RNA sequence: GUGGUUGUAGUUCAGUUGGUUAGAACGCCGGAUUGUGGUUCCGGAGGUCGUGGGUUCAAAUCCCAUCAUCCACCCCA
């Protein structure tokens, strides 16, 4: 007990049964991505810390996993720094690499680094794990997979619309009822400007973000506590209490922020987007939600968040437009927009809804029971034929007791067991047992392939 | 980073006001059934009660520390 092996906090192993289900999710998502013309890329698990630092805000920097330099890293550090015991400063001396925190920043780095080979607009998808050093809790892990789709090098709002279609398509296929919440950073900036607190947009949005969680009064209190003036908070009230259709909401907001340049632009963008979306037959609900803020600071235009309607869990997909992410790497004026599907949360939703298709759980279709050397020799060529025909099949590798072999098939949920002993060999046939119904049939090799296909 | 929860068999948990040999269910292994699994019946293995210290004649039970865990906050997928 005392020395059971373990894995780091917030990480998980995936059993065969879990992998089958995870692959079902990944495959569904990939299929949809390809349908819209996106191409895959992969980037390394680790990036230079200089690439990662400062992109996710102060909070994000703290959550980066840093990789210790190799070799005798400590003796190169000046004694003075060791004595100071300032972790932040020391870190830059001890670590030059870190594990990726998301897929968007490495993607931006990739684009800048390979710009001469990429033809824009560049539509890529990327499905890989990311790592965050925060405390695990429900639906939160330290290692988890993101499934990103981004278009970079195009300002068109058509891209935003297409992303909503992708979201709709993916969750339709996965049979998850969703609501897509959309907001726009320009509107948020407009609001901040209109109430005379342009510099405090982040604080304001972070507070507004909690509206449905802690209520209006507490949100107001938090803003005041953060140093927002009371008159500004007062001006904000009509926006926090918005009601009605998207159209009506936009009209109301326009009255408050239409004067500001960013605000007007944000409103116009939203009008265009919702105009497109209205004419598409989407299953998912799409709504304008001003309380949607999203943490990552690099967003500049539309922001998205998708929630399950039936299962309460954090957002299962999110993203937005970032106008100048590549600028940090020396390639200005390239706009991108993308969303990220959270595979683990989608998994949790599907588990709770029991919505995994049963066919997807099968790995082996048929098992040959092993009776001994002579019988092995008889089965092997037919086994090869089955595989050639695309049927997943295996033979039990030793002539163990029947019970053991049957139990093996049962546990592995193999639907068919094939028996071939003296009688079958003599008749040049095989006995096939349907493990669910218990029925048995005596068939020749061709019939066998037919029934298993 | 802040606050809280819980650590007993492979798993989920029970364990009385501290009292002698720490239990159950499920799972696992074997047998009934040497060419038939999932059902049933019979039998068996498996725990230094998270770890270290303390109180006591006596600790799974009380106290302290430590580690782990889960949950909430911050933040986020």
């Amino acid at each position: 007990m005392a020395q059971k092996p373990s894995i780091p906090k917030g990480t998980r192993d995936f059993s065969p049964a879990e992998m089958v289900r995870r692959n079902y999710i990944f495959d569904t998502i990939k299929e949809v991505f390809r349908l819209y013309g996106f191409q895959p890329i992969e980037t390394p698990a680790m990036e230079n810390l200089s690439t990662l630092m400062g992109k996710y805000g102060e909070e994000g920097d703290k959550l980066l996993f840093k990789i210790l330099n190799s070799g005798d890293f400590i003796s190169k550090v000046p004694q003075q720094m060791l004595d100071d015991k300032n972790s932040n400063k020391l870190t830059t001396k001890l670590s030059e690499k870190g594990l990726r925190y998301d897929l968007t920043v490495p993607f931006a780095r990739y684009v800048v680094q390979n710009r001469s080979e990429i033809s824009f607009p560049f539509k890529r998808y990327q499905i890989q794990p990311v790592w965050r050093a925060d405390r695990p809790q429900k639906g939160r892990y330290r290692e988890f997979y993101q499934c990103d789709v981004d278009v970079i090098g195009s300002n068109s709002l058509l891209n935003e619309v297409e992303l909503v279609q992708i979201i709709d398509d993916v969750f339709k296929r996965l049979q998850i009822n969703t609501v897509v919440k959309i907001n726009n950073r320009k509107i948020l900036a407009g609001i901040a400007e209109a109430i005379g607190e342009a510099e405090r947009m982040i604080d304001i949005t972070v507070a507004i973000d909690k509206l449905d969680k802690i209520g209006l009064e507490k949100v107001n209190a938090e803003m005041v506590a953060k140093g927002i003036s009371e008159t500004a908070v007062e001006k904000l009230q009509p926006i926090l209490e918005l009601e009605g259709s998207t159209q009506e909401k936009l009209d109301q907001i326009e009255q408050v922020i239409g004067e500001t340049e960013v605000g007007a632009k944000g409103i116009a963008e939203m009008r265009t987007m919702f105009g497109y979306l209205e004419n598409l037959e989407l299953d998912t609900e799409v709504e304008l939600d001003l309380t949607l803020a999203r943490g990552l600071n690099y967003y500049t235009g539309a922001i998205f968040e998708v929630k399950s309607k039936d299962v309460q869990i954090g957002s299962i997909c999110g993203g937005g437009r970032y106008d100048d992410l590549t600028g940090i790497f020396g390639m200005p004026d390239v706009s991108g927009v993308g969303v990220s599907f959270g595979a683990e949360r989608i998994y949790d939703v599907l588990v709770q809804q029991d919505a995994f298709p049963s066919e997807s759980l099968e790995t082996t279709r048929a098992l040959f029971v092993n009776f001994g050397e002579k019988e092995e020799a008889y089965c092997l060529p037919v086994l090869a034929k089955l595989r050639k025909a695309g049927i997943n099949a295996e033979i039990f590798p030793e002539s163990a007791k029947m019970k053991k072999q049957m139990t093996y098939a049962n546990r592995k949920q193999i639907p068919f067991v094939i028996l071939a002993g003296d009688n079958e060999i003599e008749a040049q046939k095989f006995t096939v047992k349907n493990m669910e119904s218990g029925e048995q049939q005596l068939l020749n090799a061709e019939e066998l392939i037919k029934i298993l296909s």
Side-chain angles (χ1 to χ4, degrees):
Chain A
M1 269 299 282
Q3 302 212 326
K4 249 197 278 184
S6 64
I7 53 176
K9 178 199 298 205
T11 66
R12 294 148 302 155
D13 289 322
F14 300 114
S15 67
E18 286 164 330
M19 280 310 293
V20 167
R21 295 170 160 210
R22 286 172 65 82
N23 284 336
Y24 161 70
I25 295 172
F26 291 135
D27 290 345
T28 306
I29 290 174
K30 272 187 221 166
E31 217 171 285
V32 175
F33 287 173
R34 289 200 206 101
L35 211 52
Y36 286 78
F38 288 82
Q39 297 174 297
I41 69 160
E42 287 199 1
T43 62
M46 63 184 106
E47 292 275 351
N48 292 328
L49 229 35
S50 56
T51 304
L52 267 14
M53 294 289 278
K55 309 298 189 296
Y56 310 105
E58 224 173 291
E59 206 67 38
D61 284 353
K62 278 190 222 156
L63 300 180
L64 284 170
F65 273 109
K66 297 168 189 85
I67 297 169
L68 214 47
N69 289 343
S70 329
D72 184 13
F73 50 81
I74 202 84
S75 68
K76 293 176 194 155
V77 179
Q79 189 60 41
Q80 182 62 45
M81 286 188 83
L82 292 175
D83 291 342
D84 286 351
K85 298 196 174 170
N86 181 323
S87 298
N88 282 340
K89 280 194 177 161
L90 207 51
T91 300
T92 61
K93 292 282 177 192
L94 301 179
S95 169
E96 287 161 358
K97 298 178 289 298
L99 295 176
R100 73 166 101 78
Y101 178 90
D102 71 357
L103 301 178
T104 309
V105 168
F107 173 53
R109 189 226 82 223
Y110 173 93
V111 168
V112 174
Q113 210 177 317
N114 297 282
R115 63 179 120 179
S116 58
E117 281 138 55
I118 297 170
S119 58
F120 294 95
F122 182 38
K123 302 172 83 171
R124 75 87 233 226
Y125 72 85
Q126 188 173 353
I127 299 179
Q128 289 190 277
V130 302
W131 294 269
R132 296 184 187 177
D134 65 355
R135 254 192 228 186
Q137 49 178 277
K138 198 182 191 122
R140 277 175 102 167
Y141 307 96
R142 294 183 130 182
E143 178 186 65
F144 61 97
Y145 276 71
Q146 290 194 328
C147 313
D148 272 36
V149 250
D150 291 79
V151 184
I152 200 158
S154 164
N155 289 308
S156 169
L157 290 171
L158 223 45
N159 298 308
E160 272 85 342
V161 174
E162 193 167 74
L163 288 173
V164 176
Q165 287 180 281
I166 287 176
I167 290 167
D168 181 58
D169 221 335
V170 165
F171 290 117
K172 193 182 298 178
R173 287 172 192 230
L174 294 174
Q175 298 183 52
I176 297 176
N177 291 320
T178 51
V179 47
V180 180
K181 299 186 172 193
I182 303 180
N183 195 7
N184 195 305
R185 269 285 162 92
K186 294 194 177 86
I187 292 181
L188 293 173
I191 291 171
E193 194 181 326
I195 63 171
E197 295 278 2
E199 306 301 310
R200 314 297 305 275
M201 190 186 91
I202 302 282
D203 284 335
I204 294 169
T205 53
V206 166
I208 294 178
D209 188 38
K210 295 175 193 156
L211 191 60
D212 58 344
K213 216 172 187 176
I214 62 175
L216 185 59
E217 275 176 41
K218 286 189 178 172
V219 168
N220 289 338
E222 180 168 329
M223 283 190 287
V224 173
K226 284 258 171 81
I228 313 285
S229 77
E230 302 229 2
T231 48
V233 172
E234 194 62 39
K235 278 189 197 167
L236 201 56
Q237 298 312 301
I239 284 171
L240 296 179
E241 290 163 340
L242 276 191
E243 294 276 331
S245 68
T246 302
Q247 199 59 47
E248 289 162 2
K249 284 185 194 166
L250 284 170
D251 290 343
Q252 291 172 53
I253 304 163
E254 192 166 27
Q255 288 178 8
V256 185
I257 69 169
E259 307 279 287
T260 68
E261 196 185 328
V262 261
K265 212 171 167 208
I267 300 265
E269 283 184 16
M270 288 296 98
R271 287 228 162 94
T272 310
M273 263 189 76
F274 278 98
Y276 278 118
L277 289 172
E278 259 169 33
N279 297 317
L280 299 168
E281 283 178 14
L282 300 176
D283 281 16
T284 184
E285 200 176 300
V286 180
E287 66 174 41
L288 173 69
D289 184 353
L290 276 194
T291 69
L292 172 59
R294 290 199 61 74
L296 297 176
N297 328 7
Y298 49 67
Y299 293 125
T300 51
I303 41 187
F304 306 98
E305 186 162 290
V306 183
K307 291 203 158 180
S308 158
K309 275 181 171 174
D310 305 317
V311 177
Q312 194 157 21
I313 194 163
S315 64
I316 51 180
C317 177
R321 179 168 287 274
Y322 40 93
D323 277 330
D324 201 27
L325 198 50
T326 55
I328 314 158
F329 302 119
M331 186 179 169
D333 302 323
V334 180
S335 183
V337 59
V339 294
S340 179
F341 291 78
E344 353 286 314
R345 287 190 181 173
I346 292 172
Y347 183 96
D348 289 345
V349 170
L350 289 178
V351 166
Q352 284 192 46
Q353 291 183 182
D354 197 20
F356 284 102
S358 54
E359 319 88 73
S360 73
L361 300 179
E362 176 185 311
T363 51
T364 298
R365 185 136 180 90
L367 171 79
F368 283 83
V369 170
N370 191 325
F371 287 116
E373 275 179 41
K374 184 180 65 182
E375 292 84 351
E376 279 172 13
Y378 176 70
C379 290
L380 246 30
V382 179
L383 174 57
K385 271 192 191 167
L386 290 185
R387 288 171 176 160
K388 214 171 172 185
I391 299 161
N392 299 351
E394 59 182 305
I395 182 166
F396 200 85
E398 45 209 280
S399 70
K401 278 186 196 155
M402 256 305 244
K403 179 177 169 126
K404 182 164 175 143
Q405 302 193 42
M406 292 301 278
T407 303
Y408 174 83
N410 211 42
R411 292 245 177 88
K412 225 168 150 181
Q413 297 194 54
I414 299 174
F416 294 97
V417 167
I418 299 165
L419 303 109
D422 287 338
N423 296 344
E424 284 86 357
I425 294 178
E426 198 171 321
Q428 285 293 296
K429 294 207 167 172
F430 298 86
T431 298
V432 185
K433 180 178 173 109
N434 179 322
M435 290 297 276
E436 207 184 324
S437 66
E439 273 171 36
Q440 298 194 179
Q441 281 181 279
L442 192 63
L443 303 169
N444 66 30
E446 280 71 38
E447 293 166 327
L448 192 61
I449 291 174
K450 218 174 192 180
I451 208 165
L452 294 178
S453 310

